[in-house]
Amino acid sequence: MDKTPDLCRVEDALSILVGKWKPIILLHLLQKGTQRFSELKRSMPGITQKMLTKQLRELEEEDIIARVVYPQVPPKVEYSMTDYGRSLEPILEAMHEWGTKHTVHKQAKLDKEAKRQEA
Amino acid sequence: MDKTPDLCRVEDALSILVGKWKPIILLHLLQKGTQRFSELKRSMPGITQKMLTKQLRELEEEDIIARVVYPQVPPKVEYSMTDYGRSLEPILEAMHEWGTKHTVHKQAKLDKEAKRQEA
DNA sequence: TCCCTTAGTATCTTTTTGTATACTATACCA
DNA sequence: TGGTATAGTATACAAAAAGATACTAAGGGA
């Protein structure tokens, strides 16, 4: 079974998940449900407003998340996963699981290297 | 169940999978087994030597792939998945599957927009 | 003798990402 | 009157990733 012509599909999936922040945003929304802009921002120390805005817009553009604006002052905007976005959950879960294992593997490797330095 | 402290794990997994080329390289190696540098390059029109080299080195550094050099001229270098690298297969498969669905979704969306333009 | 091959390096330029900072609107509170 | 809050936008800048191009070694073939 040759899958070569489909390889580009993986790139498509990746383009939605990658970036320093997207998977984290998605996991927050999956785990906590609807979140306001400021709640997301507080959950991710280090992200700038510009970046968060940009990532959210891109995810919205792909129908992964929904954006609801309440015409108030001060502004209120809520973000949530769409049904379509929730279909990403298996990938996120697989990555989460693998990431946990990977950390162990990486630590073991570092320990081994440290030992070699000692000798 | 709060998973917040584990969010970074996903980033770990991502850091290995991301980049425009890594998942494609990995799928090629998973599907075809051991490959020479030039075979990989030919499978990925558009990638530059520099990029391919860089991605392969990074994957090697993470123990995802193995690199075997034959001391010949012209040079011969073979790449293959390590056992550890093969543990990424479920993620790659999940992404592949989702990517295929996503393409359909995206196309449907474009068609709908095209229709709206006509009206 | 020149050209071909392979698996790279080296160097430079462009593009993409990310950061920092300042600014906005409008209601509420002291 | 001034400060607080929210969800942004605008601008300038720095850093990282990606791309284009030229170069290398050493043997074989025309």
Side-chain angles (χ1 to χ4, degrees):
Chain A
M1 183 168 65
D2 190 309
K3 287 189 197 163
T4 309
D6 292 337
L7 284 177
C8 52
R9 310 285 187 241
V10 179
E11 264 199 273
D12 264 356
L14 257 301
S15 73
I16 279 175
L17 258 10
V18 308
K20 198 169 164 183
W21 305 106
K22 277 177 192 160
I24 302 167
I25 294 171
L26 293 178
L27 278 170
H28 274 294
L29 290 177
L30 277 174
Q31 288 166 18
K32 303 184 194 162
T34 302
Q35 293 274 107
R36 291 185 64 169
F37 183 89
S38 54
E39 290 175 311
L40 284 172
K41 188 160 182 296
R42 266 191 292 272
S43 312
M44 290 175 259
I47 198 172
T48 58
Q49 261 171 319
K50 186 192 167 190
M51 266 303 119
L52 184 51
T53 302
K54 200 186 152 216
Q55 306 301 310
L56 289 169
R57 288 295 143 77
E58 287 173 13
L59 291 169
E60 189 195 356
E61 179 63 23
E62 301 278 6
D63 290 333
I64 304 299
I65 63 172
R67 177 172 179 264
V68 179
V69 183
Y70 296 85
Q72 304 176 352
V73 170
K76 178 178 170 183
V77 180
E78 284 183 345
Y79 294 90
S80 55
M81 298 296 283
T82 60
D83 285 346
Y84 182 49
R86 264 183 283 272
S87 71
L88 281 170
E89 202 165 357
I91 303 184
L92 261 347
E93 277 302 316
M95 292 195 310
H96 185 271
E97 202 177 308
W98 191 91
T100 308
K101 271 190 262 166
H102 175 67
T103 309
V104 175
H105 184 97
K106 210 162 154 187
Q107 195 54 53
K109 197 181 159 192
L110 287 174
D111 288 352
K112 218 161 75 186
E113 269 162 24
K115 212 129 212 175
R116 214 171 355 180
Q117 289 293 321
E118 277 175 36
Chain B
M1 184 167 67
D2 188 309
K3 288 188 196 164
T4 309
D6 293 337
L7 283 177
C8 51
R9 308 288 185 239
V10 179
E11 266 198 272
D12 263 357
L14 256 303
S15 73
I16 278 174
L17 259 9
V18 309
K20 198 169 164 184
W21 304 106
K22 275 176 192 160
I24 302 166
I25 294 171
L26 293 178
L27 277 170
H28 274 294
L29 290 176
L30 277 175
Q31 287 165 18
K32 303 186 193 159
T34 302
Q35 293 275 105
R36 291 185 63 170
F37 184 89
S38 54
E39 291 175 312
L40 285 172
K41 189 162 181 296
R42 267 191 293 273
S43 313
M44 290 175 258
I47 197 172
T48 58
Q49 265 172 317
K50 186 193 165 187
M51 265 304 118
L52 184 50
T53 301
K54 201 186 151 216
Q55 305 302 307
L56 289 170
R57 288 294 144 78
E58 288 173 12
L59 291 169
E60 190 197 355
E61 180 62 22
E62 300 278 5
D63 290 334
I64 304 299
I65 63 173
R67 177 171 178 263
V68 178
V69 182
Y70 296 86
Q72 303 176 352
V73 170
K76 179 178 172 184
V77 180
E78 285 185 345
Y79 293 90
S80 55
M81 298 295 284
T82 60
D83 286 346
Y84 182 50
R86 263 184 284 274
S87 71
L88 282 170
E89 201 165 359
I91 303 184
L92 261 347
E93 276 304 317
M95 290 195 310
H96 184 272
E97 202 177 309
W98 191 90
T100 308
K101 272 189 261 165
H102 175 65
T103 309
V104 174
H105 185 97
K106 209 162 152 186
Q107 194 54 53
K109 198 182 159 192
L110 286 174
D111 289 351
K112 217 161 74 184
E113 269 163 22
K115 210 128 211 174
R116 214 172 351 181
Q117 288 294 321
E118 278 173 36

